[in-house]
């Protein structure tokens, strides 16, 4: 009896997954091929075996694949959130893409996990977290603000409000002032807000490019380049 196309796809995905789990060399090639199988309908639940692995390389492969799948990975959001504080910077980095793609306004605590990485120990993860903050929809920001209002003393509440205010009224004077505050978190959220409104007013983003905070300065420079703003 001939197998169905679905059986064929399942078998090919299972073979690639088994090769990854065996520690076969040239993981990058296998990761790309496995991603292709997920796009073709290989069950997303199969990715859990990588995300829940105790091996950093396998978790890294799984979270990268999840990040490339966008909202398709939403059923795995709980596992992804557990990885947002993984010891590997690469895992934390790609977890941010997943949280952004998979979070809903009804799940503000998921977004909060991403906000926490604005203060990550690794520079690349802090940079990615600022991209994450800048990319949050207004619906998600409103939902997170409502959740954080239960803890008005939270530094993340202040940061989110800086962003929400800037979206409503891109007051460059206020943002430049926030960029000069001593609190690094305030500076970073202000930089994210500056990038968010740069198309309307690039004054604050230009100020962020001269920040003493290396993360803010690099992020602002990169965002200026993306927005075609001369440096």
């Amino acid at each position: 009896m001939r197998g169905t196309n679905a059986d064929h796809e399942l078998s090919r995905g299972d073979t690639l997954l088994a090769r990854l789990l065996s520690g076969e060399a040239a993981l990058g090639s296998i990761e790309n091929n496995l991603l292709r199988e997920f796009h073709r309908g290989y069950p997303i639940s199969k990715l859990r075996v990588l995300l829940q692995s105790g091996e950093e390389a396998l978790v890294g492969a799984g979270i990268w694949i999840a990040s490339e799948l966008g909202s398709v990975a939403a059923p795995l959001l709980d596992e992804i959130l557990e990885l947002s504080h993984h010891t590997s910077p690469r895992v934390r980095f790609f977890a941010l893409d997943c949280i952004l793609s998979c979070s809903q306004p009804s799940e503000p605590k998921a977004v909060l996990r991403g906000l926490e990485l604005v203060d990550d120990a690794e520079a690349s993860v802090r940079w990615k977290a600022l991209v994450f903050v800048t990319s949050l929809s207004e619906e998600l920001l409103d939902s997170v603000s409502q959740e954080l209002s239960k803890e008005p003393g939270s530094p993340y509440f202040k940061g989110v409000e800086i962003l929400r205010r800037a979206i409503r009224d891109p007051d460059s004077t206020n943002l430049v002032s926030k960029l000069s505050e001593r609190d690094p978190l305030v500076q970073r959220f202000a930089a994210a807000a500056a990038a968010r409104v740069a198309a309307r007013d690039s004054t604050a983003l230009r100020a962020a490019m001269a920040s003493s905070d290396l993360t803010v300065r690099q992020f602002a420079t990169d965002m200026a380049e993306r927005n075609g703003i001369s440096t």
Side-chain angles (χ1 to χ4, degrees), residues 83-218:
L83 296 174
S84 64
H85 292 294
H86 194 275
T87 54
S88 166
R90 179 175 188 256
V91 172
R92 300 196 302 275
F93 185 97
F94 287 115
L96 283 161
D97 283 330
C98 299
I99 295 171
L100 182 64
S101 298
C102 300
S103 294
Q104 298 294 327
S106 59
E107 302 166 321
K109 290 184 178 179
V111 177
L112 287 176
R113 288 290 191 97
L115 296 185
E116 291 170 0
L117 296 181
V118 171
D119 198 31
D120 194 83
E122 172 66 34
S124 64
V125 179
R126 293 196 300 271
W127 180 92
K128 186 67 170 182
L130 290 182
V131 175
F132 169 86
V133 172
T134 304
S135 304
L136 290 171
S137 69
E138 290 188 55
E139 277 188 307
L140 284 175
L141 286 169
D142 291 344
S143 174
V144 173
S145 176
Q146 186 174 357
E147 180 69 23
L148 286 170
S149 66
K150 301 170 188 176
E151 305 176 55
S154 165
Y156 303 108
F157 178 72
K158 187 173 184 179
V160 168
E161 290 310 295
I162 289 171
L163 194 63
R164 293 177 73 224
R165 176 179 173 180
I167 291 170
R168 294 192 301 268
D169 176 22
D171 180 353
S172 58
T173 301
N174 178 62
L175 282 180
V176 171
S177 173
K178 298 297 182 187
L179 287 164
S180 300
E181 290 201 16
R182 291 185 177 181
D183 187 339
L185 277 178
V186 171
Q187 292 181 39
R188 292 169 192 168
F189 275 97
R196 181 69 173 258
V197 303
R200 287 184 281 172
D201 185 346
S202 63
T203 304
L205 187 61
R206 293 178 185 279
M209 291 163 62
S211 173
S212 59
D213 184 302
L214 295 178
T215 299
V216 168
R217 190 161 72 240
Q218 184 64 58

Side-chain angles (χ1 to χ4, degrees), residues 59-82:
V59 178
I63 198 71
W64 175 79
I65 290 171
S67 74
E68 291 292 310
L69 290 171
S71 61
V72 173
L76 306 176
L77 184 57
D78 286 344
E79 287 84 353
I80 290 164
L81 293 176
E82 287 297 316

